[in-house]
Amino acid sequence: MDNHYSIYICGVGGQGIIKTSTIIGEAAMNQGLDVVMSEIHGMSQRGGSVSTELKIGGFNSSIIPNRGADMLLAFEPIETIRGLDKVNAETKIVYNTHPIIPSSTDKPYPSVDGITRTLKENFKYVLPINGTELAIEAGSVLALNMVLLGAVTADDNFPLSKESVIDAMKNNLKPKFHEMNLKAIESGYNSIKG
Protein backbone atom coordinates (compact mmCIF):
# COMPACT_ATOMS: atom_id res chain seq x y z
CA MET A 1 0.00 0.00 0.00
CA ASP A 2 1.27 3.48 -0.81
CA ASN A 3 -0.30 4.67 2.47
CA HIS A 4 -3.56 5.50 0.68
CA TYR A 5 -6.58 3.20 0.40
CA SER A 6 -10.18 4.04 -0.52
CA ILE A 7 -13.22 1.88 0.23
CA TYR A 8 -16.69 2.49 -1.15
CA ILE A 9 -19.35 0.64 0.88
CA CYS A 10 -22.92 0.33 -0.35
CA GLY A 11 -26.09 -1.58 0.36
CA VAL A 12 -29.55 -0.96 1.73
CA GLY A 13 -30.71 0.42 5.05
CA GLY A 14 -30.74 -2.11 7.87
CA GLN A 15 -27.74 -4.13 6.66
CA GLY A 16 -25.17 -2.63 9.04
CA ILE A 17 -23.29 -0.45 6.57
CA ILE A 18 -22.79 2.41 9.00
CA LYS A 19 -21.55 0.07 11.75
CA THR A 20 -19.20 -1.58 9.25
CA SER A 21 -17.74 1.80 8.32
CA THR A 22 -17.31 2.71 11.99
CA ILE A 23 -15.45 -0.54 12.70
CA ILE A 24 -13.15 -0.11 9.69
CA GLY A 25 -12.43 3.48 10.75
CA GLU A 26 -11.65 2.50 14.33
CA ALA A 27 -9.46 -0.42 13.20
CA ALA A 28 -7.50 1.99 10.98
CA MET A 29 -6.97 4.42 13.85
CA ASN A 30 -5.91 1.56 16.13
CA GLN A 31 -3.23 0.70 13.56
CA GLY A 32 -2.03 4.31 13.63
CA LEU A 33 -3.49 5.20 10.23
CA ASP A 34 -5.36 8.38 9.38
CA VAL A 35 -8.92 7.83 8.22
CA VAL A 36 -11.68 10.06 6.88
CA MET A 37 -15.26 8.95 6.30
CA SER A 38 -18.06 10.54 4.33
CA GLU A 39 -21.49 11.24 5.66
CA ILE A 40 -24.07 8.66 4.77
CA HIS A 41 -25.56 9.13 1.32
CA GLY A 42 -29.08 7.96 0.60
CA MET A 43 -31.93 6.71 2.71
CA SER A 44 -30.69 5.01 5.82
CA GLN A 45 -34.13 3.68 6.68
CA ARG A 46 -34.65 -0.03 6.14
CA GLY A 47 -34.69 -0.81 2.43
CA GLY A 48 -33.30 2.45 1.02
CA SER A 49 -29.92 2.70 -0.71
CA VAL A 50 -27.06 3.66 1.60
CA SER A 51 -23.39 4.28 0.89
CA THR A 52 -20.36 5.45 2.81
CA GLU A 53 -16.89 6.33 1.65
CA LEU A 54 -13.74 5.72 3.67
CA LYS A 55 -10.22 6.80 2.88
CA ILE A 56 -7.32 5.42 4.87
CA GLY A 57 -4.06 7.35 4.74
CA GLY A 58 -3.18 11.00 4.26
CA PHE A 59 -6.31 12.24 2.50
CA ASN A 60 -7.84 15.71 2.84
CA SER A 61 -11.31 14.79 1.56
CA SER A 62 -13.56 11.84 2.32
CA ILE A 63 -15.21 11.76 -1.11
CA ILE A 64 -13.88 9.09 -3.48
CA PRO A 65 -13.74 10.36 -7.06
CA ASN A 66 -15.24 8.29 -9.86
CA ARG A 67 -12.96 5.34 -10.65
CA GLY A 68 -10.99 6.10 -7.48
CA ALA A 69 -11.89 3.22 -5.13
CA ASP A 70 -9.40 0.50 -4.22
CA MET A 71 -12.30 -1.62 -3.00
CA LEU A 72 -16.05 -1.74 -3.58
CA LEU A 73 -17.76 -3.54 -0.71
CA ALA A 74 -21.41 -4.13 -1.61
CA PHE A 75 -24.02 -5.73 0.62
CA GLU A 76 -26.49 -6.44 -2.20
CA PRO A 77 -26.15 -7.27 -5.95
CA ILE A 78 -28.04 -4.28 -7.43
CA GLU A 79 -26.16 -1.95 -5.06
CA THR A 80 -22.95 -3.41 -6.50
CA ILE A 81 -24.02 -2.16 -9.92
CA ARG A 82 -24.94 1.24 -8.47
CA GLY A 83 -21.41 1.54 -7.06
CA LEU A 84 -19.57 0.77 -10.30
CA ASP A 85 -18.84 4.42 -11.09
CA LYS A 86 -16.32 4.28 -8.21
CA VAL A 87 -14.32 1.33 -9.60
CA ASN A 88 -11.40 1.07 -11.99
CA ALA A 89 -9.47 -1.82 -13.55
CA GLU A 90 -7.62 -2.57 -10.30
CA THR A 91 -10.53 -2.23 -7.84
CA LYS A 92 -11.44 -5.30 -5.79
CA ILE A 93 -15.21 -5.86 -5.95
CA VAL A 94 -16.45 -7.83 -2.94
CA TYR A 95 -20.21 -8.29 -2.84
CA ASN A 96 -22.99 -10.26 -1.22
CA THR A 97 -24.86 -12.33 -3.83
CA HIS A 98 -28.10 -12.52 -1.84
CA PRO A 99 -30.65 -10.06 -3.26
CA ILE A 100 -33.03 -7.85 -1.33
CA ILE A 101 -36.03 -7.45 -3.58
CA PRO A 102 -37.81 -4.13 -2.98
CA SER A 103 -41.49 -4.41 -2.17
CA SER A 104 -42.17 -1.07 -3.87
CA THR A 105 -41.68 -2.34 -7.42
CA ASP A 106 -43.29 -4.91 -9.67
CA LYS A 107 -40.25 -5.11 -11.96
CA PRO A 108 -38.45 -8.46 -12.00
CA TYR A 109 -35.13 -8.67 -10.15
CA PRO A 110 -32.21 -9.30 -12.55
CA SER A 111 -30.46 -12.68 -12.45
CA VAL A 112 -27.71 -12.65 -9.82
CA ASP A 113 -25.76 -15.17 -11.92
CA GLY A 114 -26.08 -12.74 -14.83
CA ILE A 115 -24.82 -9.86 -12.68
CA THR A 116 -21.84 -11.95 -11.56
CA ARG A 117 -21.07 -13.08 -15.10
CA THR A 118 -21.18 -9.51 -16.42
CA LEU A 119 -18.97 -8.23 -13.61
CA LYS A 120 -16.40 -10.98 -14.25
CA GLU A 121 -16.42 -10.20 -17.98
CA ASN A 122 -15.64 -6.53 -17.30
CA PHE A 123 -13.47 -6.45 -14.17
CA LYS A 124 -10.39 -8.37 -13.03
CA TYR A 125 -11.05 -8.69 -9.30
CA VAL A 126 -14.62 -9.84 -8.70
CA LEU A 127 -15.22 -11.67 -5.41
CA PRO A 128 -18.86 -12.75 -4.99
CA ILE A 129 -19.82 -14.25 -1.63
CA ASN A 130 -23.13 -15.51 -0.29
CA GLY A 131 -22.65 -13.48 2.86
CA THR A 132 -26.26 -13.82 3.94
CA GLU A 133 -26.01 -17.63 4.00
CA LEU A 134 -22.72 -17.48 5.93
CA ALA A 135 -24.21 -15.00 8.41
CA ILE A 136 -27.17 -17.31 9.06
CA GLU A 137 -24.74 -20.22 9.58
CA ALA A 138 -22.81 -18.06 12.08
CA GLY A 139 -25.99 -17.42 14.06
CA SER A 140 -27.98 -14.55 12.52
CA VAL A 141 -28.57 -12.75 9.24
CA LEU A 142 -27.61 -9.62 11.21
CA ALA A 143 -23.98 -10.83 11.13
CA LEU A 144 -23.81 -10.16 7.36
CA ASN A 145 -21.65 -7.09 7.86
CA MET A 146 -19.14 -9.11 9.88
CA VAL A 147 -19.00 -11.81 7.17
CA LEU A 148 -18.21 -9.12 4.60
CA LEU A 149 -15.65 -7.50 6.91
CA GLY A 150 -13.92 -10.85 7.24
CA ALA A 151 -13.94 -11.20 3.46
CA VAL A 152 -12.22 -7.86 2.86
CA THR A 153 -9.50 -8.60 5.43
CA ALA A 154 -8.60 -11.67 3.35
CA ASP A 155 -7.43 -9.42 0.51
CA ASP A 156 -3.64 -9.09 0.65
CA ASN A 157 -3.80 -5.39 -0.27
CA PHE A 158 -6.35 -4.46 2.40
CA PRO A 159 -4.45 -2.21 4.82
CA LEU A 160 -6.05 -3.50 8.03
CA SER A 161 -5.31 -6.75 9.79
CA LYS A 162 -8.09 -9.16 10.66
CA GLU A 163 -6.99 -8.83 14.30
CA SER A 164 -7.46 -5.05 14.34
CA VAL A 165 -10.90 -5.45 12.75
CA ILE A 166 -11.84 -8.03 15.41
CA ASP A 167 -10.65 -5.69 18.19
CA ALA A 168 -12.73 -2.83 16.75
CA MET A 169 -15.75 -5.14 16.41
CA LYS A 170 -15.47 -6.12 20.08
CA ASN A 171 -15.27 -2.45 21.04
CA ASN A 172 -18.40 -1.55 19.04
CA LEU A 173 -20.73 -4.49 19.61
CA LYS A 174 -22.18 -6.01 22.77
CA PRO A 175 -20.18 -8.89 24.31
CA LYS A 176 -23.11 -11.30 23.98
CA PHE A 177 -22.72 -11.03 20.17
CA HIS A 178 -18.92 -11.42 20.05
CA GLU A 179 -18.83 -15.20 19.54
CA MET A 180 -21.32 -15.08 16.66
CA ASN A 181 -19.52 -12.17 15.03
CA LEU A 182 -16.15 -13.89 15.37
CA LYS A 183 -17.62 -16.90 13.54
CA ALA A 184 -18.99 -14.55 10.88
CA ILE A 185 -15.64 -12.79 10.37
CA GLU A 186 -13.81 -16.11 10.12
CA SER A 187 -16.31 -17.54 7.62
CA GLY A 188 -16.04 -14.46 5.42
CA TYR A 189 -12.26 -14.53 5.62
CA ASN A 190 -12.09 -18.24 4.77
CA SER A 191 -14.53 -17.86 1.87
CA ILE A 192 -12.05 -15.55 0.13
CA LYS A 193 -8.79 -17.16 1.25
CA GLY A 194 -10.21 -20.53 0.24
Side-chain angles (χ1 to χ4, degrees), residues 36 38 46 62 64 67 76 85-86 88 93 118 135 159 161 165 189:
V36 290
S38 73
R46 191 167 298 279
S62 61
I64 299 170
R67 296 177 298 285
E76 202 277 338
D85 61 338
K86 297 292 184 180
N88 58 59
I93 302 172
T118 301
S161 70
V165 168
Y189 181 88

Side-chain angles (χ1 to χ4, degrees), residues 134-135 138 143 146-147 150 179-189:
L134 293 175
M146 296 302 113
V147 170
E179 184 180 347
M180 176 185 70
N181 286 314
L182 282 169
K183 282 183 193 172
I185 289 170
E186 290 297 334
S187 68
Y189 181 88

Side-chain angles (χ1 to χ4, degrees), residues 25-175:
E26 184 172 311
M29 289 187 291
N30 290 345
Q31 285 188 211
L33 300 169
D34 293 330
V35 61
V36 290
M37 183 174 116
S38 73
E39 294 182 8
I40 297 99
H41 299 282
M43 300 293 288
S44 60
Q45 71 214 33
R46 191 167 298 279
S49 293
V50 178
S51 66
T52 62
E53 303 178 39
L54 283 101
K55 290 173 151 183
I56 299 169
F59 288 102
N60 294 322
S61 164
S62 61
I63 303 301
I64 299 170
N66 285 351
R67 296 177 298 285
D70 294 294
M71 179 172 286
L72 168 63
L73 175 58
F75 284 53
E76 202 277 338
I78 292 293
E79 297 303 323
T80 308
I81 293 169
R82 285 194 178 121
L84 289 179
D85 61 338
K86 297 292 184 180
V87 308
N88 58 59
E90 301 302 313
T91 303
K92 302 286 173 58
I93 302 172
V94 177
Y95 66 100
N96 181 26
T97 58
H98 184 82
I100 295 180
I101 300 168
S103 59
S104 60
T105 183
D106 56 358
K107 293 180 182 175
Y109 195 95
S111 157
V112 175
D113 289 340
I115 291 171
T116 299
R117 190 168 47 254
T118 301
L119 288 171
K120 287 185 173 183
E121 287 169 359
N122 290 282
F123 299 98
K124 270 196 285 192
Y125 305 109
V126 177
L127 303 165
I129 174 175
N130 191 336
T132 300
E133 183 177 283
L134 293 175
I136 291 167
E137 287 172 8
S140 171
V141 70
L142 298 177
L144 169 63
N145 57 347
M146 296 302 113
V147 170
L148 294 175
L149 263 178
V152 300
T153 64
D155 176 40
D156 292 337
N157 294 324
F158 192 67
L160 308 177
S161 70
K162 181 172 63 168
E163 293 70 28
S164 69
V165 168
I166 288 170
D167 288 345
M169 176 275 288
K170 288 179 176 177
N171 195 44
N172 281 276
L173 300 175
K174 293 178 181 174

